[in-house]
Amino acid sequence: MMPAVKAFPFTVISHGLAVVTLIMVLIWTIHFRGGLAWESVNKSLIFNVHPVFMLFGLIIIGGEAIISYKSLPFRKEVKKVIHLALNGVALVLGIVGIIAAFKNHNESGIANLYSLHSWIGIGVIVLYGIQWLYGFVAFFYPGGSADLRRATLPWHALLGACVYVLAAANSALGFLEKLTFLQSSGVAKYGTEALLVNFTAITTVVFAVFVILSVISQPSSDEHHDDYRIHSAK
């Protein structure tokens, strides 16, 4: 059952947290870690692409894609395209972010896929890709039958929420893993950078929580929305 609270306040808070989280990760990677680069003698700059693109893509844009149906005052057909496009952008940025991590490891002589964070990350990006492909084929083009869409929409929405929650949790795990490496290399455990990384992880999780709250709460309008229902073909 959906909470009695309207979605609007959760949506507004989500937007605000998205901006704050992005600013925090940029301050960390640019001010404390030296910036971002795709080609560099300093391989750490290549790695910095990973947290920025993963956070901006899968977490922030992915979160905006999830709440787009309920937060945007457009027709269902328009919101469907926006939802699909945002998820597509999130998927592409996520793939680039993962490639950056592999590139950093390969050029630095570091083993790949040895950590729990990396295992979960690969699983998340694969599931995200499957979700996007199914959504495109079943709900956009060529489009499944009304019965198929009606039967699979709840499962598509549920799996999407689960993948998103898993992505947010894995981002926190990634921040923890990176900060542990940095602290073992001399970064102060109670220094400004350590606090920034921890608060960025917390803000990311809180943002994901408000995204889910926005989705499960009541629509901001009293009118009946068919955005979460599939009607019989006219």
Side-chain angles (χ1 to χ4, degrees), residues 117-170:
H117 170 68
S118 63
W119 291 7
I120 295 176
I122 294 297
V124 166
I125 203 71
V126 169
L127 290 174
Y128 208 107
I130 292 173
Q131 274 282 98
W132 190 87
L133 285 174
Y134 182 80
F136 181 87
V137 172
F139 301 106
F140 187 72
Y141 182 82
S145 66
D147 288 340
L148 175 66
R149 286 180 285 136
R150 185 183 302 111
T152 59
L153 179 58
W155 293 103
H156 178 70
L158 178 60
L159 180 58
C162 290
V163 172
Y164 183 73
V165 169
L166 186 60
N170 196 45

Side-chain angles (χ1 to χ4, degrees), residues 4-153:
V5 180
K6 298 292 186 181
F8 181 74
F10 295 129
T11 302
V12 172
I13 294 174
S14 296
H15 295 328
L17 288 172
V19 174
V20 171
T21 306
L22 181 60
I23 291 174
M24 292 172 74
V25 76
L26 288 174
I27 291 175
W28 175 45
T29 53
I30 296 174
H31 177 70
F32 287 96
R33 293 290 100 203
L36 292 74
W38 194 255
E39 297 290 344
S40 177
V41 175
N42 183 356
K43 303 308 177 184
S44 295
L45 303 186
I46 299 175
F47 177 83
N48 291 343
V49 174
H50 176 70
V52 172
F53 274 56
M54 299 304 290
L55 182 63
F56 184 52
L58 291 188
I59 306 301
I60 294 179
I61 296 183
E64 295 292 342
I66 290 176
I67 63 178
S68 61
Y69 267 162
K70 192 171 292 187
S71 65
L72 297 177
F74 304 134
R75 293 181 298 108
K76 184 180 71 172
E77 291 75 14
V78 176
K79 291 190 286 186
K80 186 194 304 183
V81 173
I82 294 174
H83 176 75
L84 181 72
L86 287 176
N87 272 317
V89 172
L91 179 61
V92 170
L93 291 178
I95 291 173
V96 173
I98 288 179
I99 292 174
F102 276 96
K103 180 177 173 63
N104 165 259
H105 283 201
N106 292 337
E107 295 184 11
S108 303
I110 301 173
N112 290 306
L113 300 176
Y114 63 87
S115 67
L116 178 62
H117 170 68
S118 63
W119 291 7
I120 295 176
I122 294 297
V124 166
I125 203 71
V126 169
L127 290 174
Y128 208 107
I130 292 173
Q131 274 282 98
W132 190 87
L133 285 174
Y134 182 80
F136 181 87
V137 172
F139 301 106
F140 187 72
Y141 182 82
S145 66
D147 288 340
L148 175 66
R149 286 180 285 136
R150 185 183 302 111
T152 59
L153 179 58

Side-chain angles (χ1 to χ4, degrees), residues 165-229:
V165 169
L166 186 60
N170 196 45
S171 70
L173 187 61
F175 282 120
L176 172 62
E177 181 180 295
K178 181 61 176 180
L179 183 56
T180 300
F181 290 152
L182 292 175
Q183 289 173 338
S184 66
S185 300
V187 171
K189 290 181 171 58
Y190 299 100
T192 304
E193 182 176 1
L195 292 175
L196 175 62
V197 174
N198 281 335
F199 276 113
T200 303
I202 291 172
T203 307
T204 301
V205 172
V206 174
F207 168 69
V209 168
F210 274 93
V211 167
I212 298 302
L213 287 174
S214 176
V215 170
I216 66 175
S217 58
Q218 293 181 345
S220 299
S221 174
D222 291 331
E223 67 185 51
H224 291 288
H225 289 256
D226 62 351
D227 302 329
Y228 300 97
R229 302 191 301 269

